[in-house]
Amino acid sequence: MPAGSWQLAARGSLVLLITVPVVASLFGVALPAIGIFPALGGAGLSLDPARAALATPGLARAVLMTLTTALAATALALLGSFAILAMAHGTRAGRWASRFCGPIVAVPPSAVAIGILFLLAPSGWLMRLVSPWLSGLDRPPAFALVPDPHGIALVFALLAKEMPFVLLVSLAALSTLPAAGLIRTGRSLGYGRAASWVHLVLPLVYRRIRLPLAAVMIFALSVVDMPRLLGPSLPPPLAVLAVEGFEHADLARRLPAAVVACLQVGVTLLALVIWRGGEMFASAMLAAARRRGHRGRWIGPVLIPVAWLACLPVLAAVAGLAAAAIWSLAAGWFFPAALPSALTLASWGRIDSLAPALASSLVIAVLASILAVVAVLALIPLSRGRTRPFLRASVYAPLLIPQVSFVIGLQMVLVWLWLDGTWLAMIWVHTLFILPFAWLIIAPAEAALDRRHLAVAASLGASPAHRYLRVVLPMLSPAITTALFVGVAVSASLYLPSLFASGGRITTVTLEAVALASGGSRQMAGVATMLQLAMPLAIFVLLRVWQARRYGRFAGMRAGGLQ
Amino acid sequence: MPTPFASTVRLIAVLGCFLMPLQSATAGDFNDTIAAARGQTVYFNAWGGDDKINDYIAWAGDRLRERHGIALVHVKLADTAAAVGRILAEKSAGRTSGGSVDLLWVNGENFAAMKQHGLLQDEAWAESLPSWRYTDAAALPAIRLDFAEPTEGRESPWGRAQLVFAYDSARTGTPPRDAAALADFISANPGRFTYPQPPDFVGLSFLKQILLETATDTAPLYHPVEEADFEAVTAPLWAWLDAVTPNLWRDGRAYPFNYPTLRQLLGDGEVDIAIAFNPSDASAAISRGELPASVRTYIHDGGTLANVHFLAIPMNANAPEGARVVADFMLSPEAQIRKANPNIWGDPTVLAMHRLEAADRAAFEALPRGAATLSEAELGTTLAEPHPSWMAALEAGWRQRYGSGG
């Protein structure tokens, strides 16, 4: 596209809209941490907040647990999805699994957590199904099953949420690789199918998904709604500790909480360093195995059970969501009954109280997703050729800065601008959080475009605008559709950013669901969870149908080359 | 020669000169307030975790729209402190008007924090509301004393609360009716008792209840904690907790998030006793199918904590007039009768029966009581809330001892 001066100006302000909140939010969280918060009388530099934060009981255990749960969840999600990829790619089960991934990725984390809780808690559905005929229990066991003090339930739920995501981005990366050829090469050298995957294909896939993986880990490090339902509470993970400080009635607790939010950034960096160490170790092991010429015949037999085990968390989440659906219809459901004593639509009858939340969720999700996609399409040419590390860093910031730290600072900025609690702020913040996903999905697709199509179109006399609209966009349509869908899903899942940016005035289904879940009514929590599911799924179906109708005939051009 | 009668008449006349214009001026002022409130949107920030309460607020919104042209928007909070924090953030950003909160459901610690940080309207507006005349501060001092903190007319009473315990009569024979009996019950039934994790309001209230029952001298609890020997006063509480904690639900390594979660644990049969700050909470939960019909409530023999909850207007409220009209309506007999109905909400009234019209009094007396709700006589014995400064100190002490999960 020709770069007129108005375009430069538009792009410049676009860059500002992305970078300013990121930089300002960092100040917004850092200043209170060093004691500068005039409204609380903190005007000068002080180490008191830091001292108070470090005196938090169990802080060391909170840090350790935050690190172990996030690293375990990320490593297991990677292992599980790679095992599924290597074992099932190209098979019917694999196609079924990949089709299943999209909708599962769209399920908001809080809904997954509610589902796992409804299934696995001591009084959960699983225990009800086996009681008392098998377990001999007429009341729930007293031991800590879910939540547990070590965060195992949290890791399990994170896996249910993250494995399909990792699988999805791996599949996207795989589609740009000549996997079949690589496998043939491997097999011709005497490696098994599984070993060929491990030595030849997966390292290439891995290289392409490092950024999404980092985002997965940072999400696991800083998520708040899932550990609140499933994680240990004494002490909770760092992110929950920070939010608790900010929600505390004693306003002075905000200063140490800001320190914890900053500490969260440090822990995130530490986790990335540890992950890098693990990467180097794994690649050294692989290299050593290749040098010694091991053909790795054991890899296949090991990966098969791993692939099956990897399906467990997702299946548990689905069963848990089924339990949530049953709860939404339950009149009364007391342990150890396997099913409610009676069904009623009473809880669904109160759905009108959730209607405003549903409407605003839809409006925000759709507008923010479209804005993010448009912004990415406008920014891609800007980032090409010249290196723009700052712009890229800003686009990724909401993913790479722990949510708690980013959002707390962002709220200060919004209040300064008198924007908190406005639709503009909500859509802006949601757009910021969707941007990195849209970028991750669209940028590689754009880079992989087969430019010969453009040359052909130009030789047929198409203008640049015409080429962009009629050739580039249709070829990017799968990526754009995916980005829109992921955008809606991301928007639907945002809890903390919505809470802080909405000023409480704009409510979303996720905010309502978490508020209801804290109200202890499983029936209404079940209804809200169903709505949380319905929204992204409806958009998913709509987009797929639209894409098939509109751009189905370009399908052959996706992989590159006219056939 | 002035007779005593004549001097009394004169006295009344003189007083009347002071009082009458004052009263009519007040009424006139409130008519001005009502006029100014027309067309305003009032953002009412109130805990949104209970459907019954949400439905009640929606009902009030409908009435206010019909009568005064006020749009009442219920901003559903998960935690009141979040709204207090937002007002603080606005103040720190220099926003002294046009704030995002017009009316806030608040009491105790949050009110004390707002007062301390200058986040409330300066005026003593609450006692000039027309509905204030139905209250009796002499009979219910807690409407002027929020956790021993004088309200100074800067928050308007809304409802009453009292700590009650719930148990499943089909499973538990006789519930323990004091702190000592509760300790015995816990050691006899390991894993079947817990309380919401501080700083949860009900969790801290439970600690205060035990402290009030076990302390040798409760007088220091009604003064700021800084003036007391905290360790000495609270030693009996920590001794009690040290003894029971290993036998709590999850060995005291985890606690329920809040009281509805605890109520759910009772419904599930995971624990034997639930705690709530509303006498009709258990009855309401039974009717919603969240607790078995065999659940009953009780209080401790020495009485349980009781307090009043309020509506406050922040210093930077965007619609302060509308907020006052809402607070006045919420205090009116009409709204209070509906609120006290356990089928609607079941929140006890702050109004004094002897100040009401006969019809309103009869309406209160005709209200149904749920099967699990104690009568006013059974609830009778109450304990006053300690000074709010004890909340933070107790929480810090609790966190220090049990906050790292043992």
Side-chain angles (χ1 to χ4, degrees):
Chain A
M1 283 203 292
S5 58
W6 64 271
Q7 272 182 335
L8 277 181
R11 282 188 183 146
S13 42
L14 192 59
V15 171
L16 280 182
L17 279 176
I18 295 165
T19 53
V20 165
V22 173
V23 176
S25 73
L26 291 177
F27 281 102
V29 70
L31 293 181
I34 52 172
I36 299 173
F37 199 64
L40 282 175
L45 283 177
S46 161
L47 283 176
D48 291 346
R51 259 184 234 116
L54 293 179
T56 309
L59 184 70
R61 274 179 49 199
V63 169
L64 193 65
M65 198 249 304
T66 307
L67 273 173
T68 50
T69 50
L71 284 168
T74 316
L76 291 174
L78 180 67
L79 178 69
S81 51
F82 272 13
I84 293 173
L85 209 57
M87 289 299 99
H89 187 255
T91 68
R92 192 192 295 170
R95 275 191 296 276
W96 189 80
S98 66
R99 214 167 293 150
F100 195 58
C101 275
I104 287 286
V105 164
V107 178
S110 51
V112 168
I114 290 172
I116 299 271
L117 190 68
F118 281 7
L119 184 74
L120 297 181
S123 59
W125 200 21
L126 198 60
M127 201 52 94
R128 288 171 197 241
L129 286 172
V130 299
S131 298
W133 59 274
L134 182 64
S135 67
L137 297 168
D138 62 348
R139 53 190 302 190
F143 56 85
L145 191 70
V146 170
D148 63 292
H150 308 290
I152 297 168
L154 177 60
V155 171
F156 192 74
L158 281 167
L159 280 177
K161 179 79 196 106
E162 298 301 6
M163 194 129 47
F165 176 72
V166 175
L167 195 54
L168 208 61
V169 291
S170 302
L171 280 169
L174 196 60
S175 70
T176 66
L177 292 170
L182 287 169
I183 303 286
R184 269 197 302 277
T185 310
R187 302 203 74 157
S188 71
L189 291 171
Y191 287 88
R193 186 181 139 84
S196 304
W197 271 94
V198 169
H199 281 296
L200 297 176
V201 185
L202 294 184
L204 294 176
V205 174
Y206 181 81
R207 221 170 287 165
R208 283 167 171 74
I209 64 164
R210 286 179 73 197
L211 199 65
L213 267 183
V216 163
M217 188 161 68
I218 291 161
F219 172 83
L221 283 163
S222 71
V223 64
V224 168
D225 40 7
M226 293 182 99
R228 273 204 159 163
L229 290 163
L230 293 172
S233 55
L234 287 175
L238 272 188
V240 179
L241 211 55
V243 172
E244 279 177 1
F246 269 84
E247 286 178 347
H248 198 278
D250 179 6
L251 299 172
R253 287 277 284 275
R254 275 150 199 262
L255 302 186
V259 177
V260 174
C262 291
L263 183 62
Q264 173 91 53
V265 178
V267 168
T268 304
L269 292 176
L270 179 61
L272 289 171
V273 168
I274 295 174
W275 185 260
R276 179 78 192 114
E279 259 180 11
M280 283 155 71
F281 178 75
S283 103
M285 293 286 285
L286 275 180
R290 279 195 298 270
R291 265 198 311 280
R292 275 190 244 108
H294 288 314
R295 289 298 183 264
R297 302 242 168 258
W298 55 272
I299 293 178
V302 168
L303 281 189
I304 290 172
V306 170
W308 281 111
L309 278 178
C311 299
L312 267 188
V314 175
L315 293 178
V318 172
L321 291 170
I326 300 174
W327 268 110
S328 75
L329 295 167
W333 188 6
F334 299 108
F335 197 88
L339 287 170
S341 51
L343 296 179
T344 170
L345 282 171
S347 303
W348 283 97
R350 287 185 284 172
I351 199 169
D352 54 324
S353 66
L354 292 170
L358 190 61
S360 51
S361 292
L362 275 174
V363 169
I364 293 165
V366 170
L367 285 181
S369 303
I370 293 172
L371 279 176
V373 166
V374 170
V376 166
L377 289 174
L379 286 172
I380 283 174
L382 202 63
S383 70
R384 198 183 294 132
R386 289 161 292 174
T387 49
R388 291 285 182 103
F390 185 64
L391 172 65
R392 277 178 175 232
S394 299
V395 168
Y396 290 135
L399 280 192
L400 301 183
I401 305 172
Q403 228 180 53
V404 179
S405 322
F406 181 62
V407 161
I408 283 168
L410 197 60
Q411 198 210 8
M412 294 303 293
V413 180
L414 290 174
V415 173
W416 277 323
L417 295 175
W418 283 63
L419 279 177
D420 63 311
T422 62
W423 287 90
L424 189 65
M426 276 297 260
I427 293 169
W428 185 12
V429 168
H430 278 234
T431 307
L432 284 178
F433 274 90
I434 297 167
L435 261 182
F437 291 95
W439 183 279
L440 279 172
I441 294 163
I442 296 176
E446 205 269 356
L449 273 189
D450 189 340
R451 313 234 159 238
R452 287 174 299 177
H453 293 304
L454 290 177
V456 171
S459 71
L460 291 173
S463 70
H466 204 81
R467 290 203 295 272
Y468 194 78
L469 289 176
R470 300 305 298 270
V471 180
V472 175
L473 283 187
M475 282 168 70
L476 286 180
S477 87
I480 291 175
T481 314
T482 310
L484 285 175
F485 164 59
V486 169
V488 170
V490 168
S491 169
S493 71
L494 289 178
Y495 171 67
L496 209 55
S498 306
L499 185 70
F500 277 70
S502 70
R505 289 188 171 190
I506 302 167
T507 180
T508 68
V509 173
T510 294
L511 289 179
E512 288 277 349
V514 175
L516 284 168
S518 83
S521 164
R522 290 215 182 102
Q523 280 88 343
M524 277 316 278
V527 172
T529 306
M530 290 303 105
L531 286 184
Q532 272 189 297
L533 294 188
M535 198 178 77
L537 293 191
I539 300 268
F540 179 72
V541 171
L542 278 179
L543 279 176
R544 277 279 179 254
V545 170
W546 177 78
Q547 190 198 347
R549 289 245 169 116
R550 181 71 184 77
Y551 292 121
R553 62 206 156 98
F554 294 99
M557 294 163 75
R558 234 181 298 166
L562 293 161
Q563 282 153 10
Chain B
M1 200 177 104
T3 61
F5 175 75
S7 58
T8 309
V9 167
R10 202 175 308 143
L11 184 65
I12 289 173
V14 170
L15 277 178
C17 288
F18 285 103
L19 287 176
M20 291 314 288
L22 196 69
Q23 211 161 30
S24 61
T26 312
D29 280 353
F30 205 75
N31 283 333
D32 292 346
T33 308
I34 289 174
R38 187 161 288 278
Q40 285 184 337
T41 298
V42 175
Y43 288 97
F44 179 25
N45 283 237
W47 182 67
D50 192 327
D51 292 324
K52 295 188 109 180
I53 302 177
N54 299 345
D55 291 347
Y56 175 78
I57 294 173
W59 167 83
D62 289 343
R63 300 290 87 71
L64 285 156
R65 191 179 50 246
E66 289 161 14
R67 290 177 204 171
H68 300 295
I70 291 173
L72 186 69
V73 179
H74 179 191
V75 178
K76 292 174 191 140
L77 302 175
D79 192 328
T80 304
V84 178
R86 198 159 57 241
I87 301 163
L88 180 79
E90 289 171 1
K91 190 192 173 200
S92 72
R95 200 191 293 182
T96 51
S97 65
S100 66
V101 181
D102 293 308
L103 191 65
L104 186 63
W105 183 15
V106 75
N107 76 352
E109 209 183 4
N110 282 311
F111 175 71
M114 290 184 77
K115 207 171 152 183
Q116 184 196 339
H117 294 290
L119 304 180
L120 293 162
Q121 293 255 315
D122 260 339
E123 261 176 277
W125 55 272
E127 299 187 8
S128 60
L129 294 179
S131 295
W132 176 261
R133 66 177 184 274
Y134 302 117
T135 67
D136 183 355
L140 186 63
I143 61 173
R144 267 193 178 139
L145 216 54
D146 185 354
F147 287 52
E149 181 79 45
T151 64
E152 295 169 0
R154 292 156 78 182
E155 54 176 358
S156 171
W158 194 22
R160 263 185 315 126
Q162 184 172 358
L163 206 64
V164 293
F165 299 88
Y167 71 105
D168 188 346
S169 62
R171 180 175 286 143
T172 308
T174 330
R177 288 176 179 275
D178 59 51
L182 179 57
D184 294 341
F185 179 90
I186 295 167
S187 60
N189 300 282
R192 298 301 183 188
F193 181 84
T194 188
Y195 51 93
Q197 179 175 328
D200 175 77
F201 188 74
V202 174
L204 278 175
S205 300
F206 175 72
L207 298 189
K208 287 187 286 184
Q209 172 74 31
I210 298 298
L211 177 56
L212 284 167
E213 285 190 53
T214 54
T216 43
D217 177 18
T218 57
L221 294 171
Y222 295 97
H223 299 282
V225 66
E226 297 79 25
E227 298 165 13
D229 179 352
F230 180 76
E231 290 304 323
V233 174
T234 56
L237 168 67
W238 309 128
W240 191 93
L241 284 173
D242 283 344
V244 305
T245 299
N247 287 324
L248 289 181
W249 179 75
R250 304 277 160 89
D251 311 325
R253 286 172 204 274
Y255 293 82
F257 189 56
N258 53 21
Y259 83 86
T261 320
L262 176 59
R263 181 176 66 209
Q264 209 168 62
L265 292 177
L266 177 67
D268 291 339
E270 279 204 55
V271 301
D272 286 332
I273 293 170
I275 312 168
F277 230 127
N278 179 340
S280 66
D281 182 74
S283 295
I286 292 172
S287 69
R288 285 196 305 268
E290 289 168 23
L291 285 179
S294 46
V295 165
R296 293 293 176 270
T297 60
Y298 67 98
I299 64 167
H300 281 183
D301 289 335
T304 51
L305 274 183
N307 65 48
V308 168
H309 46 92
F310 296 84
L311 301 176
I313 306 178
M315 55 96 193
N316 65 352
N318 188 45
E321 298 86 5
R324 284 184 199 191
V325 176
V326 174
D328 181 59
F329 175 74
M330 294 300 201
L331 191 58
S332 68
E334 178 192 4
Q336 291 272 318
I337 290 166
R338 191 176 169 91
K339 184 161 66 71
N341 187 335
N343 299 326
I344 308 289
W345 174 356
D347 191 47
T349 182
V350 287
L351 301 183
M353 289 304 128
H354 62 274
R355 296 263 162 103
L356 297 177
E357 313 274 337
D360 289 335
R361 199 158 48 236
F364 267 112
E365 278 155 13
L367 286 176
R369 298 190 82 83
T373 312
L374 299 176
S375 68
E376 286 296 333
E378 287 168 306
L379 286 169
T381 11
T382 60
L383 299 173
E385 285 281 356
H387 190 271
S389 57
W390 285 84
M391 291 279 260
L394 280 175
E395 189 218 330
W398 185 88
R399 278 203 309 151
Q400 213 60 49
R401 287 169 177 83
Y402 312 104
S404 59

